[in-house]
Amino acid sequence: MITAKTSLYGLIGNPVDHSVSPLMHNTAFKKLGIDAVYLAFKSENTEDTISALKTLGARGFNCTMPAKSDCAVLCDKLSEEAELTKSVNTVVVEGDKLTGHSTDGAGFFLNLKNNGVDYDKNILLLGAGGAARSIAARAVIENVPSLTILNRTVKKAKALADSLASYDTNINYGGLDELPEAVKKADIIINATSYGMGEDKSIVDGSLLRPDQVVCDIVYKPRETALLKAAKKAGCKTVDGLGMVACQAAYAFELWTGKEFPLGEILEVLEKN
Ligand code: NAP
């Protein structure tokens, strides 16, 4: 029930009408009996929208495209990952101060852990866009031994590798033409490009894959992408992108409320959605 004391949370970006975040957070508030509501706000101007949310006393909000990098500039403080990626997807509001976080990478690795995957291994990351940057930042914070970043636009892979060079992880980068060689050396392969989103084509040729490899796709529409189908056929363990959606929300929810997110129930809700 909405009361005179209901706390306000939300999502800003454009578009936002496809987002499952309101469904996830409002389900979690209800389940835990928290007097709060989460709404989606289509934003034409990130600065104005954030100012409006502060005026209304919002306790926290998520940012999606194209608000993520503008939001990083508008925050008073950034987490280590948000600082590394210069991108924010979760903001905690305390008084008039904003702290920005980037929970996609942490969500990705929590989902791996929940799927029983040991990620202290050689990781091949495909992509250097927003999601890939967040996964790469968390990978070095988690101290993975080796990370290879391949991207269609090589200079973006190089910029990402350079930005993480001060960490202990051994980092290589290159273009997608290096994919066959890189797949051979990888224990865990992650598709963090939008390749395969809404279409039945795989960024990795299934004949390159071995049964001892773990293959992850962060694309979650379709849930079983062509890459994951090919990986299953090759006998690999596979991890799809839906768990990451719930896990990045779990981190945001816990930052806002200090309470544990009902992850299992939220995953069931997402699966039915
Ligand atoms: P983004 O910032 O726009 O980056 C897109 C990435 O995909 C870039 O690396 C781009 O390469 C690459 N790419 C696009 N088309 C390609 C093609 N035809 N061939 C090869 N590479 C291609 O997008 P993003 O925010 O990182 O999102 C990427 C995907 O992850 C989307 O499908 C999104 O829905 C999904 N995602 C899932 C979650 C989750 O929780 N499961 C979270 C965030 C995002 P260039 O740099 O060369 O353009």
Side-chain angles (χ1 to χ4, degrees):
M1 195 176 64
I2 307 285
T3 72
K5 292 181 183 163
T6 300
S7 299
L8 174 64
Y9 295 87
L11 169 70
I12 67 169
N14 188 4
V16 288
D17 52 4
H18 64 289
S19 172
V20 290
S21 292
L23 174 67
M24 291 193 289
H25 289 292
N26 288 318
T27 303
F29 289 143
K30 194 170 171 199
K31 164 91 182 158
L32 298 187
I34 297 172
D35 185 7
V37 66
Y38 183 108
L39 301 172
F41 299 102
K42 182 178 167 193
S43 163
E44 303 289 349
N45 178 310
T46 305
E47 190 167 1
D48 288 352
T49 310
I50 290 179
S51 170
L53 283 171
K54 279 169 87 173
T55 303
L56 291 173
R59 307 277 298 274
F61 53 92
N62 287 129
C63 297
T64 189
M65 298 305 288
K68 287 179 168 187
S69 32
D70 285 350
C71 182
V73 176
L74 295 165
C75 283
D76 300 285
K77 220 168 102 185
L78 294 176
S79 70
E80 187 178 1
E81 281 138 301
E83 186 70 58
L84 279 174
T85 55
K86 304 281 179 241
S87 167
V88 160
N89 78 336
T90 301
V91 175
V92 178
V93 186
E94 281 161 316
D96 65 347
K97 297 281 179 245
L98 306 179
T99 305
H101 300 261
S102 174
T103 68
D104 277 337
F108 174 80
F109 283 100
L110 176 61
N111 187 43
L112 277 194
K113 202 165 152 193
N114 290 345
N115 278 278
V117 176
D118 169 14
Y119 48 79
D120 191 18
K121 304 266 179 169
N122 299 322
I123 295 183
L124 169 58
L125 177 65
L126 306 177
R133 287 204 301 278
S134 188
I135 291 171
R138 187 66 186 199
V140 298
I141 291 168
E142 295 272 343
N143 211 11
V144 305
S146 140
L147 177 68
T148 300
I149 303 162
L150 300 186
N151 194 45
R152 179 176 64 178
T153 309
V154 182
K155 69 174 186 209
K156 287 197 207 162
K158 178 181 184 325
L160 177 55
D162 288 350
S163 72
L164 306 174
S166 62
Y167 288 78
D168 288 340
T169 300
N170 174 32
I171 303 182
N172 297 293
Y173 69 88
L176 292 179
D177 53 325
E178 293 171 46
L179 213 150
E181 269 312 299
V183 167
K184 274 190 204 159
K185 295 179 196 149
D187 300 308
I188 300 175
I189 298 154
I190 306 162
N191 176 37
T193 72
S194 43
Y195 198 97
M197 186 167 73
E199 49 191 2
D200 199 31
K201 54 183 196 177
S202 168
I203 193 161
V204 180
D205 183 338
S207 67
L208 298 171
L209 298 168
R210 302 185 308 268
D212 60 296
Q213 293 172 314
V214 177
V215 176
C216 317
D217 203 332
I218 72 160
V219 170
Y220 57 95
K221 280 185 182 162
R223 185 159 183 203
E224 188 174 66
T225 60
L227 169 63
L228 295 184
K229 277 190 226 158
K232 269 189 189 158
K233 206 170 155 203
C236 306
K237 181 175 176 69
T238 60
V239 180
D240 68 44
L242 201 63
M244 174 180 169
V245 175
C247 288
Q248 61 77 28
Y251 277 107
F253 188 88
E254 286 163 27
L255 284 164
W256 293 330
T257 65
K259 302 243 166 31
E260 195 177 334
F261 194 63
L263 196 56
E265 184 162 334
I266 299 300
L267 268 170
E268 273 174 33
V269 170
L270 286 181
E271 273 161 20
K272 283 188 208 137
N273 184 46

